[in-house]
Amino acid sequence: MSRAPTLTRFLIEQQREQNTLPAELRLLIETVARACKTIGHAVSKGALGEVLGSLGQENVQGEVQKKLDVIANELLLDANEWGGHLAAMASEEMETIHLIPNRYPKGEYLLLFDPIDGSSNIDVGLSVGTIFSVLKAPPEAAGREVTEADFLQAGATQVAAGYALYGPQTLLMLTMGAGVYEFTLDREVGAWRMTDGPIQIPQGTREFAINMSNRRQWTPHVERYIDERVSGAQGPLGTDYNMRWTGSMVADIHRILKRGGVFLYPADARKPGKARLRLMYEANPMAFLMEQAGGAGTDGTTRLLDLSPQALHQRVGVMLGDRAEVAAATQAQAAMAQS
Ligand code: AHG
Ligand code: MN
Ligand code: MN
């Protein structure tokens, strides 16, 4: 049986040794982790749990909601409402923020999440995940209800971020600004156990992840960046590259954190400057994790964590992973901006 420390022990030791982890933040992380355990359980039931399929309604993004999008959203809201650690929550599945009801005590943290990332994979039995980001309510919000504007903080201010991956194993990846740690769900005892960390992304892995079907929409320089890699040993880089795309950012980012490579969802001609992924609960938490693991993250020109969000559901171009690959892809975008 694994002797790896549990998430609870890891957090308590962090709190004791590093003296950097407030008790409320520890409670928040344990609560999110517990909710992810429940979401993972629902995901794994599949057709037996009647959790597959769509609801026939759209979320604020104009995307058809899957049953599991809504189930996971409710589980995260219910788990985090009553603990006293939060001021409010925000989610991909809710148009505006969710304030903690007055019957419960309130805390100073703001929690943002993508309850199910990779929803198109749910009904076909492939990996999906949950992404979360933790901010502090700004000091000026003390003594009043927080507002949506209080959430619009640069990613660099995140105090914690992570994701759960519901795949062959159920995993939790976590950063609180001092490295990235991996926890595996030990189903027999119901505990998360630390199985890797601090994680460093392997540099120099020749593997990229991009949705190739958008090629005609890319900027010419993203096209050239990918062409150089697709042409492999016969091309200007003189070396072969591999390609993987799961359609679930959590799964792609997890592979890259563990094995190296680069993930690209650039802004393209369909929505110039905006792209597909959302800044506050997809790009920012992943960029925080990536940087903490020695990788990098940009929107094509600027470090993701430096961007000033303008809206809760703002979309952004994403380049994440291996430092050299992110720099090369970013230079390709920047060169186009100047030409
Ligand atoms: P979500 O399921 O939360 O809407 O996110 C899906 C995202 C991300 O997980 C993935 O990388 C990307 O959308 C897939 O996009 P394509 O449909 O273009 O492959
Ligand atoms: Mn998503
Ligand atoms: Mn989602």
Side-chain angles (χ1 to χ4, degrees), residues 92-148:
E92 180 195 345
E93 304 302 336
M94 301 186 300
E95 184 164 3
T96 189
I97 62 171
H98 178 94
L99 292 170
I100 301 302
N102 283 332
R103 62 185 182 277
Y104 299 124
K106 293 179 187 60
E108 60 175 338
Y109 292 103
L110 307 176
L111 174 65
L112 299 98
F113 44 82
D114 176 356
I116 295 284
D117 173 68
S119 297
S120 70
N121 281 336
I122 292 172
D123 295 344
V124 290
L126 299 181
S127 294
V128 295
T130 297
I131 311 174
F132 65 93
S133 163
V134 183
L135 298 166
K136 260 188 179 173
E140 60 268 24
R144 63 157 168 83
E145 276 191 351
V146 296
T147 64
E148 201 172 300

Side-chain angles (χ1 to χ4, degrees), residues 179-198:
V180 177
Y181 292 85
E182 177 196 84
F183 301 85
T184 302
L185 183 61
D186 180 342
R187 287 177 186 279
E188 273 127 65
V189 290
W192 295 101
R193 288 186 185 277
M194 194 175 88
T195 42
D196 200 4

Side-chain angles (χ1 to χ4, degrees), residues 275-298:
R276 165 97 169 82
L277 297 172
R278 277 65 48 120
L279 175 61
M280 307 257 355
Y281 41 80
E282 291 179 318
N284 272 344
M286 292 309 200
F288 191 19
L289 288 161
M290 220 26 111
E291 288 198 4
Q292 283 294 316
T298 74

Side-chain angles (χ1 to χ4, degrees), residues 19 55 75 94 110 115 127 145 152 193 201-202 220 246 253 283 304:
N19 212 16
L55 280 172
L75 285 168
M94 301 186 300
L110 307 176
S127 294
E145 276 191 351
L152 304 182
R193 288 186 185 277
I201 171 177
T246 64
I253 292 293
L304 281 164

